[in-house]
Amino acid sequence: MAANDAVTLVPATSLARATLPLDDDEALDAAPIVGPRFRLLREVGRGGLGEVYVADDRDIGRQVAIKRIRVDARSDAAVGRFVREVRTTGQLDHPNIVPLHDVGRDDDGTYYYVMKYLEGESLEALIERLRQGDRAAHAQWTFERRVALFRDVLAAIRFAHARGIVHRDIKPANVMVGANGEVTVVDWGLAKELGTGGEVPAPARAADGRSSSETRHGALLGTPLYMAPEQARGEPADARTDAWQLALLLYELLTLRHYLEGETVVELILVEVLERPIPNPRSVRSPHQPPVPTELANLVMAGLRRDPAARATVEELLTALDRRDEGDFDVVDAR
């Protein structure tokens, strides 16, 4: 997609200008005060192509989150991916998916979109608190509460799949947990519509020879530690790919460990994703909690089958949890 194709998605006038009176004492029919609509407060996230800020929306009088293309990552390809992210996220109106409010372009030509500002912590941060033995966290987030949280993530992804969209980058860092336990799946930047292309390219070594768990621009589209085997092989991702990542997220949420913990080099991670045996969650012990219940461990392993055709689907994972709620604990096997 060329950059000029993307321009048609955004208004010609910049959304960075206020359209309502900024002084509360002024009458509503007063002439608008010309000035910046959004005031950036602080950066809260950064990826291969984008950066996310908390900002004041001075028109509406609330805080929002603004994602924009990084200046050092601008290109026609970057604009194309950004446009796809806007269109994809905009289609997904669901309580557990971050809502998109608006889209625009700064005075310097930088594309951005505005979304709900989510207060709380990432699932990654919550898992770390549990792992460190935070008593309050363990008291609040029992296995059953964690399963309920996971069910909300499943519901969000099932909704997306029903609309032909796969996320492709599900991981604890991309799930936000609010102060009241509300769950939101964020960062749909790598999502794609099934059957529209955009497949994951063949893996490549990073230019600096290093790796991290973060998405890399120009190397891997995705997060190596959370890639499904088919992604590691450079094959197209589909709904079963999301099912693997969901099962791995539940693995980490229950055991408080990643099965590839300590691996940092992309090449080695990709080999391990394809070959390393995954320990049953029952065998992964923490001094801060009891062993993972057997039926939940079996459920996790059903979603982590390396053969996509044998892997439990998102719908099957939800059905298994429903049957468990009804007292049927023999819902899946750990083949």
Side-chain angles (χ1 to χ4, degrees):
M1 182 179 296
N4 59 347
D5 294 330
V7 172
T8 61
L9 291 179
V10 299
T13 56
S14 174
L15 289 176
R17 295 294 171 188
T19 56
L20 295 178
L22 298 182
D23 187 346
D24 292 340
D25 295 330
E26 293 208 33
L28 291 179
D29 59 354
I33 296 176
V34 177
R37 175 178 177 181
F38 300 109
R39 182 167 64 92
L40 299 184
L41 301 177
R42 64 186 181 277
E43 183 177 318
V44 293
R46 176 174 289 260
L49 292 177
E51 53 194 9
V52 180
Y53 291 85
V54 177
D56 277 333
D57 182 339
R58 302 176 70 197
D59 266 359
I60 299 178
R62 64 179 177 183
Q63 286 194 347
V64 296
I66 293 180
K67 182 171 183 177
R68 63 184 188 180
I69 300 175
R70 285 171 37 196
V71 174
D72 60 345
R74 289 182 185 175
S75 66
D76 285 354
V79 171
R81 281 183 57 187
F82 194 79
V83 169
R84 284 193 293 272
E85 180 177 354
V86 168
R87 288 175 167 169
T88 299
T89 308
Q91 295 179 52
L92 301 176
D93 184 9
H94 187 274
N96 301 117
I97 297 176
V98 60
L100 189 153
H101 294 324
D102 222 328
V103 58
R105 186 168 50 175
D106 285 339
D107 290 337
D108 66 356
T110 300
Y111 292 92
Y112 67 87
Y113 67 81
V114 185
M115 54 188 163
K116 180 179 179 180
Y117 170 55
L118 300 171
E119 296 189 80
E121 64 181 337
S122 70
L123 186 56
E124 181 179 56
L126 173 58
I127 290 172
E128 183 59 27
R129 287 202 292 129
L130 291 167
R131 178 171 170 165
Q132 295 299 324
D134 184 309
R135 291 185 178 182
H138 276 278
Q140 180 180 3
W141 295 101
T142 62
F143 283 139
E144 292 308 313
R145 285 292 308 279
R146 291 181 231 174
V147 170
L149 183 158
F150 178 68
R151 189 192 293 272
D152 285 343
V153 179
L154 279 174
I157 301 303
R158 177 174 65 176
F159 179 86
H161 288 180
R163 281 148 185 77
I165 294 171
V166 290
H167 190 287
R168 300 198 298 177
D169 197 25
I170 302 166
K171 57 185 178 182
N174 284 343
V175 176
M176 291 295 297
V177 183
N180 297 313
E182 59 272 28
V183 177
T184 310
V185 179
V186 302
D187 199 346
W188 294 78
L190 293 184
K192 72 160 186 172
E193 294 186 56
L194 291 171
T196 61
E199 287 77 8
V200 179
R205 180 196 294 269
D208 57 8
R210 298 182 295 107
S211 168
S212 72
S213 62
E214 296 303 314
T215 304
R216 287 183 172 274
H217 174 51
L220 293 169
L221 286 183
T223 305
L225 282 173
Y226 293 92
M227 281 186 171
E230 57 270 23
Q231 286 178 295
R233 289 191 295 266
E235 298 170 0
D238 59 19
R240 300 261 183 174
T241 305
D242 279 357
W244 168 282
Q245 294 180 347
L246 286 162
L248 185 53
L249 182 146
L250 182 58
Y251 185 104
E252 197 168 351
L253 182 58
L254 294 175
T255 67
L256 312 181
R257 301 277 179 178
H258 191 291
Y259 80 101
L260 294 179
E261 183 176 302
E263 295 288 357
T264 59
V265 179
V266 169
E267 271 190 340
L268 295 179
I269 289 173
L270 297 179
V271 171
E272 299 284 16
V273 167
L274 295 171
E275 299 179 359
R276 183 188 287 192
I278 302 174
N280 188 290
R282 290 278 298 174
S283 68
V284 182
R285 300 302 174 91
S286 165
H288 307 296
Q289 64 182 26
V292 175
T294 300
E295 77 281 0
L296 293 178
N298 289 346
L299 184 70
V300 168
M301 298 308 291
L304 292 178
R305 295 169 184 154
R306 286 191 163 95
D307 178 3
R311 188 179 304 155
T313 65
V314 172
E315 194 63 43
E316 288 169 344
L317 292 173
L318 273 166
T319 298
L321 290 178
D322 288 342
R323 291 173 59 188
R324 178 177 179 270
D325 288 346
E326 297 169 357
D328 184 356
F329 289 82
D330 187 23
V331 292
V332 292
D333 64 82
R335 288 179 292 166

